Amino acid sequence: MAQSFGVPPAPRRTPLSAEEKIRGVVNFAPFVIEQLVATGRFRVTADTPEMVELFQNVARRVGDTLQRPVVSYANGRDIVITFGPEAPGLTG
């Protein structure tokens, strides 16, 4: 059998199970909250639709927890989570 010395194959990603997705949201949310409160934003590489979805769910949970608008922006490589604009007339 001939040996190949080319580029190694890209690693295959195993999709997250439903339980792993839930655990990811629950476990990332406190860290994202900490970063938002300290710096006003959180940025992470999210280069697959699955990771974008996971961190969008994290952003929703963070917003619910902080009772503040939180938005996420994805560009196909990274996702940024930050505070959104306050709705006029609403005060906490």
Side-chain angles (χ1 to χ4, degrees), residues 35 45 54-55 72 76 79 90:
Q35 291 297 306
T45 298
L54 173 72
F55 281 101
S72 60
I79 187 165
L90 295 179

Side-chain angles (χ1 to χ4, degrees), residues 62-79:
V62 167
D64 291 345
T65 300
L66 295 176
Q67 297 182 343
R68 278 187 73 170
V70 172
V71 296
S72 60
Y73 303 95
N75 67 7
R77 177 178 161 88
D78 298 317
I79 187 165

Side-chain angles (χ1 to χ4, degrees), residues 8-24:
R12 288 186 18 200
R13 297 179 189 214
T14 304
L16 297 174
S17 69
E19 181 183 338
E20 289 170 326
K21 290 177 185 179
I22 292 168
R23 281 195 330 243

